[in-house]
Amino acid sequence: MLALFGVELLTTPAVLLSPVPLAIAVDNVIGSDRLPGVLDAILPGFITSSDLGILAFAAFLQVFVVLLTQLQESGWYVLNTVVGERLTISFRARLFDHVQRLSLRFHDRRDTHDSIYRIQYDAEALQHVTEAAFPFVSSTLTLVAALYVTLQIDWVLALVAFGVTPILFLLIRSYEKRVRPRYSELKELESGALGVVQEVLTTVRVVKAFGREDREQDRFIRQSRKSMRARIRLAYAEGGFGLLVNLTTGIGTAAVLYIGVRQVQSGALTVGGLIIVMNYLLQLYGPLETISEKVADLQSGLASAERAFALFDESPEVEDLAHGRRLVRCRGAVEFRDVSFAYDESHPVLRDVSFAIEPGTRLGIAGPTGAGKTTLVSLITRFYDPVAGHVLLDGVDLREYRLADLRRQFAIVLQEPVLFSTTIGENIAYSNPDAEPSAIVTAARAANAHDFITALPEGYATPVGERGMLLSGGERQRIALAR
C-alpha cells in the first residue's frame, strides 16, 4: 500500500517538470534570457556557455520527463492491480465468512441473491475506492505544487486561474448529494435482476414442468429494464456534471490566456513564462478535473461499499462463546425445559415445551404440518435459540458449549437432500474430510448406497452435478444418509 502511494506521488514532479524543456528552448535558446538561477548554478559551464549545450540539455530533460511519466504510470498500474486484487479477495473472504456465521433467521428473511450480489460485486467496490483515492490525494498535492510555482511566476494569473476552484467544489458537493442515493438504488435493482436468474435456474425443473419460460423471461426483462433506466439516468447526470466541470475550467483557461497575452505584450511576462503558466494551468486544472472525475467514480464505489459493510453490521443471533465448554463426545441426554420459540413475535411455534430423552433412545416425532417438528430439531442443533426456557444436552445448556463441538454430535438428513457439486465420496465425507476411504465405504454400506455407487463408471469419484442433480432423488437421499 505504501509503495502504491509512493509511486502515485511521482506524478507531482513529472507534472511540474513537463513544461520546463519547452520554456528553456523558447527563452534561453531562441530568446536571449539567462537560465533560471537554480539551473545556472547546478549545470556545468560547458552546457550553459553555448546555445547548443542548453538545447541538448532541454532535449535530454524532455526525454527524462517522458520516461519518468511512463515509469510512474506503468508502476502504478501494476501495483494498483496487485494491491486492489488482494484487498478485494481478502474483503470478500471476510464477508463470506461473516455471512456463513450469521444465524439462520438472517438467511430466512434475506434473499440469497442479495447476499451473493453484495459478496461478489459490492465487495469489489473496495478496489474501486482505492483506485480513486490515491489519484485523489496525488492530484491534490499536484494542485498545491502547481499553484505555488504559478504564484512564483505571476501571482495575478495564478489567482485568476485558481478563482474557478470554489465553483468546482460546489459542483462536486451538489453532485455527491444527488448521485449517491441513485447508485444505491441501482445496486438494489441489479441485485433484483440477479435474483430472477438465480431463482429460475435453481427451480428450472418446475419452470419447465409448467411451461413458464416465457413468463420468467418477461420478468427478467422487466427487472433488467428498471436497472437500464436507472443507469441511463446516472449517465445523464455524469455527462452533465462533466460538461459543467469542463465549461468552468474552460472559462478559467480563456481568462488566463487573455490576461497572459496582454502581459507579454506589455513586457511584464516572457513568452516562455507564459508557456510555463499555460502548461501549469493545464496541470492545475488537470488535477481539479481528476478530482471531479474520481468523485464521480467514488459515488458508485461508496454506494457498493455501504451495502457490503451493512452485512458486517448484522450480528449472529446464535452467539458462540469465546471460552465455551468443550465437548468431545456426549452421552446423548436431551432435555427441554419450558421452551418457547417463535420465528416472529406474532406467531409463536412452541409454548412452554418440556420433555426429556434418555441416552440411547430412538424417538420419532409426529404431528400435523406446522406443529413444530423441524423447529425442535433446529433448537437441538442451535440453528436457533429459544426465546424462553432452556435446551440441555447431558444436563448442560446448549449455549454453554462451543458451537462447532455441539454440532459435531449430530448427524442430520434434511427433508430435501442437499449435495454439493463434487464427487460422491467427498459428499459422504463432508463432515469429516480426512476420513479414510474404508470409513466412507462403511457409511455408504450402512445407507444401502454402496451397490449403486460401485455400479457407476467412476464409483465414489463420480461427480454428482449441481445440488446432486446428476443422481436420482432416491440416490441423493442415500448419499445424504451416508453422510
Side-chain angles (χ1 to χ4, degrees):
M1 189 75 75
L2 289 175
L4 182 61
F5 185 66
V7 170
E8 181 62 28
L9 290 182
L10 289 176
T11 305
T12 301
V15 165
L16 294 178
L17 287 173
S18 61
V20 174
L22 181 58
I24 291 174
V26 171
D27 280 347
N28 308 117
V29 179
I30 299 174
S32 57
D33 294 345
R34 289 181 58 83
L35 282 169
V38 175
L39 290 178
D40 195 32
I42 63 174
L43 290 177
F46 71 88
I47 293 179
T48 59
S49 60
S50 68
D51 289 345
L52 186 59
I54 295 174
L55 182 60
F57 170 72
F60 170 79
L61 186 58
Q62 180 65 41
V63 173
F64 173 77
V65 170
V66 171
L67 182 61
L68 177 63
T69 302
Q70 188 57 49
L71 286 174
Q72 185 272 332
E73 290 176 355
S74 299
W76 186 87
Y77 177 76
V78 172
L79 283 174
N80 180 66
T81 301
V82 172
V83 172
E85 290 299 326
R86 286 179 177 174
L87 276 174
T88 299
I89 193 170
S90 174
F91 187 57
R92 275 187 183 140
R94 287 180 55 205
L95 199 58
F96 180 57
D97 181 66
H98 178 73
V99 171
Q100 283 191 101
R101 298 179 188 281
L102 291 176
S103 307
L104 282 185
R105 195 187 299 273
F106 167 84
H107 296 286
D108 290 342
R109 67 173 186 265
R110 175 68 65 87
D111 291 331
T112 301
H113 67 80
D114 187 63
S115 297
I116 292 173
Y117 190 94
R118 292 178 192 236
I119 294 169
Q120 187 62 27
Y121 299 106
D122 287 334
E124 194 176 24
L126 196 64
Q127 180 176 354
H128 299 320
V129 171
T130 304
E131 288 176 355
F134 282 114
F136 190 94
V137 173
S138 67
S139 294
T140 303
L141 293 175
T142 303
L143 173 65
V144 173
L147 177 62
Y148 173 77
V149 175
T150 308
L151 280 169
Q152 301 304 307
I153 297 172
D154 192 306
W155 65 271
V156 175
L157 293 182
L159 291 180
V160 171
F162 199 67
V164 302
T165 53
I167 300 174
L168 289 176
F169 284 116
L170 286 174
L171 288 174
I172 290 171
R173 188 62 179 165
S174 173
Y175 179 80
E176 281 181 328
K177 290 181 178 179
R178 291 178 54 208
V179 171
R180 179 85 64 82
R182 295 187 186 181
Y183 271 112
S184 297
E185 177 190 1
L186 174 63
K187 301 300 178 183
E188 294 289 344
L189 292 172
E190 290 178 341
S191 175
L194 177 65
V196 175
V197 174
Q198 186 253 348
E199 186 176 43
V200 170
L201 294 183
T202 53
T203 58
V204 67
R205 284 170 172 76
V206 178
V207 174
K208 287 182 175 296
F210 289 93
R212 306 301 287 170
E213 291 93 342
D214 291 341
R215 175 184 177 277
E216 299 302 338
Q217 174 76 358
D218 290 341
R219 188 159 69 103
F220 173 71
I221 290 174
R222 283 198 306 272
Q223 189 66 33
S224 298
R225 281 178 176 165
K226 291 179 183 178
S227 302
M228 178 191 71
R229 287 192 290 269
R231 192 167 286 281
I232 290 173
R233 287 194 297 269
L234 280 169
Y236 277 120
E238 291 177 5
F241 177 66
L243 176 63
L244 290 174
V245 168
N246 284 286
L247 179 61
T248 304
T249 56
I251 292 172
T253 303
V256 172
L257 179 62
Y258 179 82
I259 296 172
V261 170
R262 296 293 294 171
Q263 288 191 340
V264 170
Q265 290 174 336
S266 67
L269 187 67
T270 66
V271 175
L274 178 60
I275 290 173
I276 288 181
V277 169
M278 292 304 297
N279 196 288
Y280 280 157
L281 178 64
L282 296 177
Q283 307 303 339
L284 185 69
Y285 287 160
L288 286 173
E289 291 174 0
T290 299
I291 290 171
S292 302
E293 291 170 3
K294 294 307 176 184
V295 165
D297 293 341
L298 274 171
Q299 302 316 304
S300 175
L302 291 174
S304 291
E306 287 175 353
R307 285 169 45 83
F309 279 105
L311 283 182
F312 282 122
D313 293 336
E314 298 284 348
S315 56
E317 295 180 8
V318 176
E319 296 184 0
D320 194 7
L321 296 178
H323 303 288
R325 186 191 294 255
R326 288 187 171 275
L327 182 61
V328 178
R329 186 65 178 172
C330 67
R331 293 187 302 109
V334 176
E335 182 179 358
F336 276 55
R337 289 183 185 171
D338 302 319
V339 170
S340 297
F341 179 79
Y343 291 100
D344 62 78
E345 295 180 0
S346 60
H347 296 88
V349 178
L350 302 176
R351 293 190 183 89
D352 299 324
V353 174
S354 297
F355 62 85
I357 306 172
E358 294 300 319
T361 302
R362 295 184 179 182
L363 177 70
I365 303 173
T369 300
K373 303 182 295 297
T374 302
T375 301
L376 289 175
V377 176
S378 297
L379 291 172
I380 293 173
T381 52
R382 275 204 82 193
F383 289 158
Y384 306 93
D385 282 335
V387 296
H390 303 273
V391 181
L392 296 88
L393 179 64
D394 292 345
V396 178
D397 193 302
L398 298 184
R399 286 169 281 209
E400 297 183 22
Y401 289 120
R402 294 180 60 178
L403 200 55
D405 289 350
L406 172 67
R407 288 177 179 164
R408 273 196 290 267
Q409 310 305 310
F410 300 96
I412 299 176
V413 179
L414 301 175
Q415 290 173 321
E416 179 184 353
V418 177
L419 301 183
F420 294 92
S421 303
T422 182
T423 66
I424 290 176
E426 289 172 337
N427 268 285
I428 294 174
Y430 184 73
S431 64
N432 182 17
D434 298 324
E436 296 291 333
S438 59
I440 296 174
V441 171
T442 300
R445 288 185 185 278
N448 198 23
H450 177 73
D451 291 342
F452 87 78
I453 293 173
T454 54
L456 296 171
E458 297 180 69
Y460 284 85
T462 301
V464 301
E466 185 178 7
R467 296 181 295 117
M469 289 303 172
L470 295 181
L471 304 177
S472 70
E475 289 169 339
R476 292 198 299 273
Q477 189 74 50
R478 294 292 177 184
I479 302 286
L481 287 169
R483 181 171 60 194

